[in-house]
Amino acid sequence: EVLAGLFTQVLAVCAELGMGQVGVVAVDGTKMEAAASKEASHSGAHLEVLEAQARRMLAEAADADRGDDESEAIAQTRRVANQADRVERIRRARAVVAEAMERKEAEEKKRGKAIRPVGNVTDPDSRLQKTRSGFVQGYNAQAVVSADQIVVAAAVTSDPTDVAMLEPMLRAATQ
């Protein structure tokens, strides 16, 4: 709140000096790295559930491999059935992960622990942000700049896309 007030005061001084004409503005965003590891973007419960699902799928594949001495026609039929079944198995795996997270949250509530949102365990507000050189765990900083290069509005969001920020940033610049 203090910084927002100071920012407003600086813009008022710029306006008195004839700077910061907002007839033409530029809006842009840049990704800022958070003090959080990309690898910390999954909770332990997520990984345990996914590992269990992977073990089950590998066991199913091993069972199918043991059936190699059956005729090729039966094996081909199994492969087609497995491909058709893949979407259903992925849906079930997602449901298992969601259910595990709900159980974990319920347990944490019972123990009086704060519930962490799904995301990064080091910095839960940060998100993976795509950059030209790959991904960073961080934020998307937005700025609206006047034609004479005065920043007239600024914000930081965890939303990785700039498109959704155009309207809010133009509204902030108008204010």
Side-chain angles (χ1 to χ4, degrees), residues 18-60:
M19 300 167 61
Q21 302 299 315
V22 291
V24 175
V25 296
V27 180
D28 198 7
T30 188
K31 306 307 189 263
M32 297 172 47
E33 199 166 344
S37 168
K38 289 188 296 188
E39 289 73 26
S41 286
H42 302 286
S43 72
H46 264 111
L47 295 177
E48 290 170 12
V49 171
L50 291 174
E51 286 172 355
Q53 183 67 23
R55 282 193 297 273
R56 279 195 296 274
M57 292 174 93
L58 289 172
E60 288 174 18

Side-chain angles (χ1 to χ4, degrees), residues 105-126:
E105 286 176 4
E107 288 172 15
E108 287 181 354
K109 264 187 186 177
K110 284 180 188 176
R111 285 188 248 138
K113 286 187 175 181
I115 297 173
R116 269 192 325 243
V118 175
N120 189 284
V121 295
T122 310
D123 183 354
D125 295 328
S126 67

Side-chain angles (χ1 to χ4, degrees), residues 16 21 51 63 73 82 88 105 107-108 110 112 121 136 138 143 157 163 167 169-170:
E16 283 183 36
Q21 302 299 315
E51 286 172 355
D63 288 344
N82 284 341
E88 179 60 23
E105 286 176 4
E107 288 172 15
E108 287 181 354
K110 284 180 188 176
V121 295
V136 298
T157 179
V163 174
E167 185 178 337
M169 292 307 298
L170 290 177

Side-chain angles (χ1 to χ4, degrees), residues 3-152:
L3 285 176
L6 179 62
F7 186 67
T8 302
Q9 290 174 13
V10 169
L11 288 178
V13 169
C14 288
E16 283 183 36
L17 297 173
M19 300 167 61
Q21 302 299 315
V22 291
V24 175
V25 296
V27 180
D28 198 7
T30 188
K31 306 307 189 263
M32 297 172 47
E33 199 166 344
S37 168
K38 289 188 296 188
E39 289 73 26
S41 286
H42 302 286
S43 72
H46 264 111
L47 295 177
E48 290 170 12
V49 171
L50 291 174
E51 286 172 355
Q53 183 67 23
R55 282 193 297 273
R56 279 195 296 274
M57 292 174 93
L58 289 172
E60 288 174 18
D63 288 344
D65 287 345
R66 281 193 286 278
D68 278 349
D69 52 343
E70 297 175 19
S71 73
E72 182 56 29
I74 293 173
Q76 179 63 26
T77 302
R78 278 193 174 164
R79 280 193 291 274
V80 171
N82 284 341
Q83 288 172 349
D85 191 46
R86 185 176 295 144
V87 172
E88 179 60 23
R89 285 185 287 154
I90 291 171
R91 188 197 62 73
R92 284 193 314 252
R94 286 182 178 168
V96 167
V97 169
E99 191 175 285
M101 290 306 294
E102 287 174 16
R103 277 195 311 269
K104 183 177 182 200
E105 286 176 4
E107 288 172 15
E108 287 181 354
K109 264 187 186 177
K110 284 180 188 176
R111 285 188 248 138
K113 286 187 175 181
I115 297 173
R116 269 192 325 243
V118 175
N120 189 284
V121 295
T122 310
D123 183 354
D125 295 328
S126 67
R127 296 287 179 266
L128 282 176
Q129 306 283 334
K130 185 175 182 180
T131 68
R132 288 182 182 160
S133 57
F135 287 88
V136 298
Q137 184 71 32
Y139 299 93
N140 187 356
Q142 297 287 314
V144 180
V145 181
S146 67
D148 51 353
Q149 298 183 0
I150 303 295
V151 175
V152 295

